[in-house]
Amino acid sequence: MSRYRVVESFLSINGEGKKAGQLAAFIRFAGCNLNCSYCDTLWANQPDTVFEWMTKEEIYERIRSFGVVNVTLTGGEPLLQADLYELIEYLVKDEKLCIEIETNGSVDITPYFAMGDRVSMTVDYKLPESGMEAAMLLSNFEYVRPQDTVKFVCGSHKDLLRAKEVMEQYELISKCSCYLSPVFGKIEPAEMVTFMKEHQLNGVNLQIQMHKVIWDPELKGV
């Protein structure tokens, strides 16, 4: 029987992305293969982090108990979980659920395309300030679909320039949703808006992590 390492499960609003402000059930898995400079869930990636072993049936029942249709699978890096495909295959049997997988851009997303349009990917492109750009699996950005999102977390003007280059190189604006997001406390959103205006970034969305505005930025389970 497959089991999954869950460090958090909670009901909140989506703080970012296409469904920002909507209620969602969050399932956060333990472990990550990257070490981004701005990581805000570093605690979930530590070898000694406390987690709960859960079966797919238990995860589904936990989601059902929240009474919402949006599900966000996050981490850490959820695609590192053994048998994650099996879990998602089980969850999509409930036709009410819409499942978003938040992934760091270093793991192949294409196997999950077979799940249909109720399973979407939010794929990070790790920019220079993250220290992890070399880990990007570039083929992910060739194959993203209309229901997917590519997110660029920016900590500097250099990051903004690189994000623009990547969006142009992979023609992302015409293929999927594209979001620019500030590293909390590192760059002013106003600077990002100025950059968007100067470069006429039509079709690109600026997002601010809503949950960090509503609650304490260090608070878990929100």
Side-chain angles (χ1 to χ4, degrees):
M1 177 184 294
S2 297
R3 297 192 302 163
Y4 306 89
R5 298 184 301 156
V6 177
V7 294
E8 279 190 310
S9 58
F10 58 93
L11 174 63
S12 188
I13 58 164
N14 269 309
E16 51 193 333
K18 288 188 280 190
K19 295 186 177 181
Q22 294 186 26
L23 288 172
F26 287 82
I27 305 294
R28 186 183 305 283
F29 298 101
C32 188
N33 58 328
L34 301 186
N35 185 26
C36 297
S37 62
Y38 51 76
C39 181
D40 56 5
T41 54
L42 194 59
W43 60 272
N45 307 332
Q46 302 306 309
D48 61 350
T49 193
V50 177
F51 62 86
E52 178 183 4
W53 283 113
M54 297 183 71
T55 66
K56 62 188 179 185
E57 292 85 2
E58 289 170 336
I59 291 173
Y60 175 62
E61 288 305 319
R62 184 73 54 86
I63 291 166
R64 274 187 41 137
S65 74
F66 294 135
V68 297
V69 298
N70 294 325
V71 178
T72 299
L73 305 180
T74 188
E77 172 48 60
L79 298 186
L80 296 179
Q81 295 292 313
D83 301 319
L84 187 74
Y85 192 96
E86 180 182 328
L87 170 63
I88 298 170
E89 197 171 40
Y90 186 78
L91 296 179
V92 296
K93 291 178 181 177
D94 185 336
E95 295 183 357
K96 299 186 190 72
L97 299 183
C98 293
I99 298 161
E100 176 189 7
I101 304 172
E102 293 187 338
T103 177
N104 64 24
S106 71
V107 183
D108 187 8
I109 63 174
T110 56
Y112 300 89
F113 289 179
M115 297 291 185
D117 59 9
R118 286 193 296 117
V119 177
S120 63
M121 295 283 176
T122 294
V123 189
D124 272 5
Y125 186 94
K126 301 300 183 185
L127 295 165
E129 289 284 339
S130 73
M132 292 287 118
E133 187 175 16
M136 292 297 88
L137 182 63
L138 298 178
S139 59
N140 281 333
F141 305 95
E142 296 175 1
Y143 298 124
V144 287
R145 308 155 299 165
Q147 64 262 41
D148 298 326
T149 296
V150 176
K151 179 175 72 171
F152 299 88
V153 180
C154 303
S156 65
H157 187 75
K158 178 181 177 181
D159 276 357
L160 288 167
L161 287 169
R162 181 59 181 147
K164 177 177 176 290
E165 288 177 356
V166 173
M167 285 188 279
E168 291 173 347
Q169 179 179 354
Y170 295 98
E171 300 179 337
L172 293 176
I173 297 171
S174 64
K175 291 196 292 191
C176 65
S177 296
C178 295
Y179 285 80
L180 298 176
S181 183
V183 176
F184 194 79
K186 285 279 288 183
I187 188 171
E188 290 298 323
E191 180 182 344
M192 300 176 73
V193 174
T194 298
F195 181 88
M196 292 170 70
K197 292 192 294 185
E198 288 174 350
H199 295 275
Q200 299 177 342
L201 293 183
N202 294 297
V204 177
N205 304 277
L206 175 69
Q207 68 177 8
I208 297 171
Q209 292 176 300
M210 194 182 298
H211 53 289
K212 291 188 177 181
V213 176
I214 298 173
W215 298 287
D216 184 322
E218 302 300 321
L219 191 64
K220 298 178 184 179
V222 296

